[in-house]
Amino acid sequence: MTTPTLCVSNAVDTLRDFAVRADGVDELLSECYAQQDQALFWGPLDKMLITYEPIGDLDWQRKFLELDGVVNLSPAGRTGSLFADALADPELMTAVAAHAGPGRRLRLIPHTTTTDLWRFAEVLRTRYGVAVELPESPPQQGLRDLLDTKTGLRDLAADLGMADGPCRIPTGTHCAGRHEVPAAVRAMLATGTPCIVKADRGEASLGLLIFRPGDDDIAERLAASKFYGEDPVVVEEFIDGDIAFPSVEYMVPVGAPPHLCYTTDMLFEGATHLRGNVTARELRDRWWYRALTRGGLRLAQEMQRRGYRGRFGIDAIARDDVVYMHDLNARRTGSSHVHEFGEHLIGPGYLDTHAVGNYDFYGLPAGLDLPEVLRLLGRLVASPRHAERGVVPTELTDLRTGRLSCMFYAPSLAELHDLIIRARAALGLHR
């Protein structure tokens, strides 16, 4: 008997504690409420999903993509921890327990493993008699939280001798707090090297500061930022020029070696605004592929030795035959669903025949609804169950704010990028 799956899409939990420092925090978190919808494609297609808000236009997505087995629940409250909110909703918890079925077991897949997840699992066991399997949750919460920091990645890589070589961390240093940053920046600029300043627990490119030789407003810009205080800060070389933005995701299981899940090319608008990801067989031929996947596997093996379990992603910048690892996300990432969309809706060997990606479009009219999106995109919209190429509107929870995410699939990477361009034009957007 197959163990029923429960996905808890707590993407906002990852960002909230850091994002509350920002102006416009509600807008930032709104994007994460839309990101919750990515869980439609996590794990098996037949599952129960707990999300902060009911997934937008789910009935259309169920019918269009034939997702008949998806059940979506949202708790009555919203405190900043989706697991805590679920625990405070007896009706929801009763439904979760019923989903476990006669076997009284659940396979739980979260976006991020948090301390409240363990309490959630324990309550299911003691109060509802449901055993919870956690294949993607590190049993050492402290280890997960450490690895999910900028200093955690740099220390891990340095311990493995990856401060040099074809796959490495950028040249840089740790600062104990904001007070040490100006001196670290000036020291790097004195060598003619541009640098980037990152909060240790920063997320979603928030609060990044870039300095170049000749800049003399270091203290002023740092003081003006709400993202820096007494927490650790990383100052490292800012890699720009003729660059690529690859990323990889690994699975670290129990009782088996870590393995590569997929590789993506991240699609940026400017230096720090991520707009999408694509994965394709053509990426295996990129010069950075071997260095990044080998370097990532070294990290995965060491993480497993230290007790890590589950998925993690590495974001990198590739330039001049060197791959620089600049971020490690010890959780599912914003591209996990791209790979699983391909596996579920095209087939396990989808990379032999297709490129798959997602892209977020901004600047659409507020109040936009799905029927209008479908009218604008017209014949570009097609299900991969029945077509060779097409566009699928997804993450529709936040559509009313003028943000639309779409999945794209095509027989080649070039055709996929062409689809993105055609969708942009159909939506009336211009670069």
Side-chain angles (χ1 to χ4, degrees), residues 362-369 372 376 399-403 427 429:
Y362 290 78
L364 293 163
L368 188 66
D369 60 15
E372 178 63 7
L376 291 170
L399 180 59
R400 64 188 180 278
T401 69
R403 170 187 178 271
L427 293 168
L429 298 173

Side-chain angles (χ1 to χ4, degrees), residues 258-335:
H259 63 267
L260 174 68
C261 297
Y262 61 89
T263 308
T264 70
D265 186 16
M266 297 184 287
L267 307 178
F268 275 83
E269 184 180 280
T272 59
H273 295 97
L274 180 64
R275 292 294 180 250
N277 302 271
V278 296
T279 184
R281 61 189 176 279
E282 292 98 321
L283 298 185
R284 300 168 186 165
D285 298 325
R286 300 288 171 86
W287 66 263
W288 46 257
Y289 180 85
R290 174 180 253 183
L292 179 57
T293 54
R294 284 185 172 182
L297 184 59
R298 286 183 65 190
L299 294 187
Q301 291 167 339
E302 177 61 17
M303 289 167 66
Q304 184 178 57
R305 189 189 70 79
R306 296 186 186 189
Y308 187 84
R309 178 174 72 206
R311 292 175 179 252
F312 75 93
I314 302 168
D315 297 337
I317 299 173
R319 187 187 71 181
D320 299 333
D321 298 324
V322 177
V323 175
Y324 298 91
M325 302 178 293
H326 66 86
D327 205 10
L328 189 155
N329 297 302
R331 52 176 169 79
R332 279 180 168 261
T333 72
S335 55

Side-chain angles (χ1 to χ4, degrees), residues 66-89:
E66 302 171 33
L67 306 177
D68 300 331
V70 170
V71 176
N72 180 212
L73 301 176
S74 297
R78 184 185 293 171
T79 65
S81 167
L82 189 52
F83 284 107
D85 293 340
L87 283 170
D89 189 328

Side-chain angles (χ1 to χ4, degrees), residues 29-107:
L29 295 179
S30 177
E31 291 188 23
C32 281
Y33 289 129
Q35 189 180 358
Q36 67 174 7
D37 300 14
Q38 296 175 0
L40 278 172
F41 308 111
W42 296 353
L45 291 179
D46 295 343
K47 56 181 169 276
M48 176 178 281
L49 296 176
I50 297 178
T51 53
Y52 292 97
E53 297 181 353
I55 293 176
D57 294 294
L58 180 57
D59 287 344
W60 177 82
Q61 294 182 83
R62 280 196 189 106
K63 182 177 180 180
F64 186 73
L65 296 172
E66 302 171 33
L67 306 177
D68 300 331
V70 170
V71 176
N72 180 212
L73 301 176
S74 297
R78 184 185 293 171
T79 65
S81 167
L82 189 52
F83 284 107
D85 293 340
L87 283 170
D89 189 328
E91 186 176 343
L92 184 149
M93 292 300 294
T94 298
V96 169
H99 182 62
R104 311 305 292 165
R105 296 188 71 84
L106 281 176
R107 180 173 180 261

Side-chain angles (χ1 to χ4, degrees), residues 119-164:
R119 187 162 62 93
F120 180 84
E122 181 64 11
V123 169
L124 279 174
R125 184 184 69 84
T126 58
R127 192 178 303 171
Y128 296 91
V130 174
V132 178
E133 300 173 7
L134 294 163
E136 297 189 14
S137 294
Q140 301 176 42
Q141 185 67 41
L143 174 65
R144 191 225 76 88
D145 293 345
L146 175 64
L147 291 171
D148 206 41
T149 63
K150 305 299 184 287
T151 54
L153 167 61
R154 292 186 62 85
D155 287 342
L156 175 66
D159 288 347
L160 292 172
M162 298 177 72
D164 202 354

